[in-house]
Amino acid sequence: MTSEPLIVSGSPHLHSGAQSSRIMRDVLIALIPAVLGATIFFGPRALLVILITVTSCVASEYLIRRLWHRSNNLHDLTAVVTGTLLALNLPVSLPLWMAALGGFIAIVIVKECFGGVGQNFVNPAITARIVLLMSFSSAMSVWNRPFSYLEHSDVVTSASYFEALQSNLPLPSLGEMFLGIRSGSLGETSALALLLGLIYLLYRRVITPLIPVVFVGTVGLLSWILGGDPLYQMMSGGLLLGAIFMATDYTTSPTTPLGQGIFAFGCGLITVLIRFYAALPEGVSYAILLMNIVTPLIDRFTIPRAFGSERRRA
């Protein structure tokens, strides 16, 4: 007979062994190709923007938790991931103080004000990007040409894919779209880099392919129905970046496979509606944000009822 005490706790009693720090570390590894691509196409300033947003996120989390007498949880790397994703959604030319402000908004306003890790109901990086876009639309809409940092020219900006499409300007080839030799935010241009990150996340079982495939597939199918080029639409804007790294966020996406499918389809539908019918050229960020908000409702109707419990009345 053992003298060790029995530990009595609530279910579930099985643990996968996965920890937040390990998951976030895998996400950071998956983002390395996008970071390298941003540095190659847009120069050393891309690394500086990433450094500023990451530093802002980490410092904001540390200081606000000290101020509110909460335990320090920087070791889980969520602030680092948020800062990196935010930077990859920004143009390389953005003033650094705006990038730092975005990090503060993502951590303090979106994350910590709602309780910290696992309590925020919208994606912090996406929300911070939208706030910056609405507050500083001019600075957030300046796109540098790839490799312009190597040129000795005063004209280094060009139109994004959607701006070129609306203005009947020459479009990048599909090969350039795939490799990332085009204007755009730091992490959105290279489909190749983002797909390499997706492969790694699937290999490590950090995410499942359901949300990215349904999200991107919905955009491609509806774009084709509406007369657009599905390949261009699937590789343009921040679609792959959003579908792979932000729509799959554990906290702000549904729990069940059915719910995730509904969520991803809704993201794709809203993205297409904004791209084709709204005044905004791009809709991925807004689509993810809106579907984040309805995620609790999706969970309510898709999580199976526990055996023996009464059905909740509407």
Side-chain angles (χ1 to χ4, degrees):
M1 182 176 181
T2 179
S3 60
E4 296 182 0
L6 295 176
I7 299 176
V8 180
S9 62
S11 62
H13 302 289
L14 296 178
H15 192 277
S16 67
Q19 297 180 338
S20 295
S21 58
R22 194 272 294 175
I23 295 172
M24 294 300 105
R25 185 169 59 249
D26 281 337
V27 173
L28 288 172
I29 293 173
L31 286 170
I32 289 176
V35 171
L36 291 176
T39 307
I40 293 172
F41 297 131
F42 301 110
R45 198 176 193 278
L47 289 178
L48 182 58
V49 174
I50 295 172
L51 177 63
I52 291 296
T53 55
V54 170
T55 301
S56 175
C57 286
V58 171
S60 296
E61 181 165 301
Y62 175 77
L63 293 174
I64 198 65
R65 293 187 74 87
R66 284 291 300 271
L67 179 64
W68 289 344
H69 304 288
R70 295 176 180 174
S71 60
N72 178 18
N73 61 352
L74 293 177
H75 61 276
D76 62 18
L77 299 178
T78 55
V80 179
V81 171
T82 297
T84 305
L85 287 174
L86 173 60
L88 294 178
N89 279 277
L90 303 177
V92 69
S93 60
L94 188 73
L96 298 180
W97 70 267
M98 292 184 187
L101 177 62
F104 173 84
I105 294 170
I107 296 299
V108 177
I109 306 300
V110 183
K111 182 180 174 184
E112 292 299 330
C113 279
F114 290 93
V117 177
Q119 303 300 316
N120 51 284
F121 68 97
V122 290
N123 185 279
I126 283 286
T127 308
R129 179 188 183 274
I130 291 175
V131 172
L132 290 177
L133 183 60
M134 297 179 67
S135 303
F136 313 106
S137 57
S138 297
M140 286 287 290
S141 303
V142 176
W143 312 111
N144 284 26
R145 294 199 314 271
F147 307 113
S148 60
Y149 65 97
L150 299 175
E151 303 173 4
H152 300 286
S153 173
D154 294 333
V155 181
V156 296
T157 61
S158 65
S160 67
Y161 166 76
F162 290 108
E163 292 170 342
L165 185 65
Q166 293 175 352
S167 303
N168 293 319
L169 297 174
L171 300 176
S173 67
L174 286 175
E176 290 172 331
M177 296 284 291
F178 182 72
L179 294 176
I181 309 174
R182 62 184 179 91
S183 300
S185 298
L186 290 179
E188 74 176 21
T189 61
S190 177
L192 173 61
L194 295 170
L195 290 175
L196 289 175
L198 172 62
I199 292 171
Y200 179 79
L201 291 178
L202 294 177
Y203 170 74
R204 294 288 292 169
R205 297 184 180 179
V206 174
I207 65 173
T208 67
L210 179 59
I211 290 179
V213 169
V214 174
F215 191 168
V216 177
T218 299
V219 171
L221 177 61
L222 294 181
S223 298
W224 174 73
I225 292 174
L226 294 174
D229 188 312
L231 290 179
Y232 272 104
Q233 290 289 333
M234 289 189 291
M235 290 192 290
S236 60
L239 179 59
L240 290 177
L241 179 63
I244 296 169
F245 290 100
M246 286 172 283
T248 55
D249 177 33
Y250 291 173
T251 304
T252 57
S253 61
T255 304
T256 65
L258 175 59
Q260 292 172 3
I262 296 171
F263 173 85
F265 175 78
C267 287
L269 174 63
I270 296 172
T271 297
V272 171
L273 292 177
I274 292 176
R275 285 183 175 183
F276 281 80
Y277 298 109
L280 299 170
E282 170 63 327
V284 172
S285 296
Y286 295 98
I288 295 176
L289 178 65
L290 290 173
M291 293 306 296
N292 284 164
I293 294 173
V294 300
T295 288
L297 186 63
I298 296 175
D299 274 337
R300 178 181 179 183
F301 290 102
T302 58
I303 293 179
R305 183 166 56 95
F307 179 76
S309 64
E310 295 183 1
R311 186 181 298 275
R312 181 181 299 178
R313 295 181 179 178

